Amino acid sequence: MASERVVIVGAGQAGGQIAAALRIAGYVGEIALVGEEIHPPYQRPPLSKAYLAGEVDVAQVLLRPAEYYVKHAIALKLGARVAAIDRAEHCVTLTTGEVLPYSWLALATGARVRPLPIPGVDDPRVFYLRTLADIDQIRSALAGAARIVIIGGGFIGLEAAAILRTLGLAVTVIEIQDRLMPRVVSPTISAFYLELHGKRGVEVMTNTGVTAIVGRGVQLTNGRTVRADAVIIGVGVVPNVELAQAAGLACDNGIVVDNCARTEDPRIVAAGDCTQHPNALLGRRLRLESVHNAVEQAATAAKTILGTPHPYAQVPWFWSDQYEFKLQMVGISTGYDSEVVRGTIANGKFSVFYYRAGKLLGINSVNRPMDHMQGRRLLGAGLSPTPAQVADAAFNLKTIVAPN
Ligand SMILES: Cc1cc2nc3c(=O)[nH]c(=O)nc-3n(C[C@H](O)[C@H](O)[C@H](O)COP(=O)(O)OP(=O)(O)OC[C@H]3O[C@@H](n4cnc5c(N)ncnc54)[C@H](O)[C@@H]3O)c2cc1C
């Protein structure tokens, strides 16, 4: 075992944050941060937003400038993949052949795009949307393109649709389910976004699948073929668990960790999109794909490494930007038995509060940031405003969280 060295696998949002949190807390041992992408840790949210629009460059999406890692003695090993973990010997082997002993190992391997298993996806005009390299390829393909087909009406597909439409391209979104963003938002929110994209000139087809991509044609299950100069696929992600699995760690739609980010190996923690973890506030285990979770779980993993474990207990939150509308989600919006709208859907400033048996479960807010902020406090404290209080937009929700 290395005397004092933390090896972090995955230089993404979570991996970068574990390294920084350790140094901020005064950790003096060695830190090696290994990432298979060529960039230092960066933020993915701008990839389907400002970076796709060409409004920001690589330097502006980095979590921290490259010099940060030099200054804080964090050995960045980029373009390098960890191929195997030897738990008995406490070391990892990189694809380069390098062997790194560790005293603690942190897995922050994230997720990768879910491949769409249809003929034609290997065409050079077909793209996925996960990494900086993906967006650079998409942006090159946009030059001279007029028509784009986006497969998948989830957050990422719709954010890309909004940007590309705003850039003047003809955009068609194909969604296999009966509404947009079906996994995470309620039908009320889906309907608002369906109308919004329609008004902006995006053709949205729900209840429609894709059977093949042939030349410049995207063949649909409804018999139609839509012309496309480029196709973007956004049909979800799968967690990168194979490394952990091969090392014998428990995995179940994510690397299984406890509320202190510990795997079953006392020297291995995991954080971010790759984990399946318990959430005490929601009362169940889940896997999340969000910046908030990556950052907070990274902080939890760092505390465990430092010998000061502190349980992770966070209300999940997430956001999505489409056109000038910011959608903010807190808690969960599934399994509810009633919903209450606050604000006015017609003017694009509203929130939907979800209840089960009178208990607030989650809130989706569109351009109502204060509702979102109060909602985070309410859900964090386990408080539920009454439906009448929520429906009265003049009622100050803050008075429930802080009565005086
Ligand atoms: C386009 C896009 C837009 C998004 N927008 C939002 C948003 O608006 N709001 C929000 O909250 N979230 C958003 N997300 C989700 C958010 O970015 C992710 O939840 C977050 O990046 C997860 O961080 P992570 O470090 O766990 O994983 P990742 O960011 O996936 O990083 C993991 C890294 O580990 C590397 N890796 C994997 N295996 C190995 C190995 N064996 N050896 C070395 N390296 C390895 C991977 O290559 C990757 O670079 C978005 C994601 C995408 C793709």
Side-chain angles (χ1 to χ4, degrees):
M1 194 191 294
S3 49
E4 272 293 331
R5 180 197 279 142
V6 178
V7 173
I8 304 167
V9 188
Q13 185 97 43
Q17 198 57 36
I18 293 171
L22 287 171
R23 283 293 183 243
I24 290 166
Y27 179 76
V28 292
E30 288 179 43
I31 301 177
L33 180 52
V34 187
E36 64 179 335
E37 292 184 62
I38 57 167
H39 300 285
Y42 61 88
Q43 311 163 63
R44 295 195 196 278
L47 300 191
S48 48
K49 308 176 182 79
Y51 190 79
L52 179 62
E55 292 164 0
V56 296
D57 60 19
V58 174
Q60 289 166 289
V61 304
L62 295 183
L63 280 175
R64 294 173 182 83
E67 307 83 68
Y68 173 90
Y69 302 92
V70 179
K71 191 172 163 202
H72 292 87
I74 296 167
L76 259 187
K77 294 176 182 289
L78 299 175
R81 187 176 169 77
V82 172
I85 303 167
D86 186 333
R87 286 170 56 193
E89 293 298 321
H90 294 98
C91 64
V92 298
T93 305
L94 277 53
T95 39
T96 54
E98 188 179 359
V99 174
L100 291 175
Y102 61 79
S103 51
W104 275 95
L105 181 65
L107 301 174
T109 49
R112 60 181 182 275
V113 291
R114 183 186 296 283
L116 188 65
I118 56 164
V121 282
D122 46 0
D123 187 286
R125 284 185 299 261
V126 178
F127 305 93
Y128 288 90
L129 208 163
R130 178 81 191 171
T131 65
L132 268 170
D134 291 338
I135 312 299
D136 290 342
Q137 285 181 0
I138 292 173
R139 285 189 52 78
S140 309
L142 292 181
R147 301 195 58 85
I148 310 291
V149 168
I150 296 175
I151 304 174
F155 294 120
I156 285 172
L158 293 176
E159 288 182 352
I163 295 291
L164 298 178
R165 186 71 201 113
T166 305
L167 291 175
L169 291 143
V171 179
T172 300
V173 173
I174 313 291
E175 168 56 49
I176 199 160
Q177 297 207 41
D178 60 357
R179 60 189 182 86
L180 296 176
M181 302 177 280
R183 223 165 33 97
V184 189
V185 301
S186 70
T188 306
I189 299 288
S190 297
F192 174 82
Y193 278 89
L194 179 67
E195 191 181 337
L196 171 65
H197 281 277
K199 278 188 192 156
R200 299 298 165 97
V202 173
E203 183 184 21
V204 180
M205 292 188 222
T206 52
N207 287 312
T208 308
V210 178
T211 53
I213 299 166
V214 181
R216 288 185 190 260
V218 179
Q219 297 178 353
L220 308 179
T221 48
N222 62 13
R224 263 186 72 183
T225 296
V226 186
R227 203 184 103 90
D229 300 317
V231 176
I232 298 174
I233 301 175
V235 294
V237 296
V238 287
N240 290 322
V241 297
E242 291 76 4
L243 182 68
Q245 227 160 17
L249 296 171
C251 296
D252 176 13
N253 181 34
I255 303 167
V256 173
V257 294
D258 70 7
N259 60 4
C260 290
R262 291 179 287 228
T263 67
E264 60 196 328
D265 184 312
R267 285 279 152 183
I268 306 181
V269 290
D273 281 15
C274 67
T275 70
Q276 195 249 47
H277 58 273
N279 186 305
L281 294 167
L282 302 181
R284 64 185 171 99
R285 300 186 64 89
L286 76 173
R287 193 176 67 75
L288 293 168
E289 294 155 15
S290 75
V291 166
H292 169 241
N293 176 60
V295 169
E296 292 297 335
Q297 233 186 3
T300 301
K303 286 193 182 108
T304 293
I305 293 170
L306 292 162
T308 53
H310 186 79
Y312 172 92
Q314 298 277 329
V315 181
W317 59 264
F318 188 83
W319 77 96
S320 173
D321 297 326
Q322 297 170 41
Y323 309 104
E324 68 276 25
F325 294 90
K326 183 173 279 295
L327 170 61
Q328 293 170 294
M329 294 142 279
V330 56
I332 47 170
S333 49
T334 53
Y336 59 94
D337 57 28
S338 65
E339 64 174 42
V340 182
V341 174
R342 182 173 170 86
T344 312
I345 296 178
N347 72 11
K349 287 187 181 173
F350 67 101
S351 296
V352 186
F353 285 58
Y354 305 101
Y355 288 86
R356 185 170 59 217
K359 186 175 188 305
L360 183 64
L361 293 182
I363 307 167
N364 294 166
S365 303
V366 176
N367 281 358
R368 295 257 318 177
M370 282 314 291
D371 288 352
H372 175 75
M373 289 313 296
Q374 299 304 351
R376 275 159 63 173
R377 293 190 186 108
L378 287 166
L379 287 159
L383 296 169
S384 299
T386 67
Q389 288 169 331
V390 166
D392 176 4
F395 178 81
N396 188 352
L397 295 171
K398 197 175 167 189
T399 58
I400 301 177
V401 191
N404 297 310

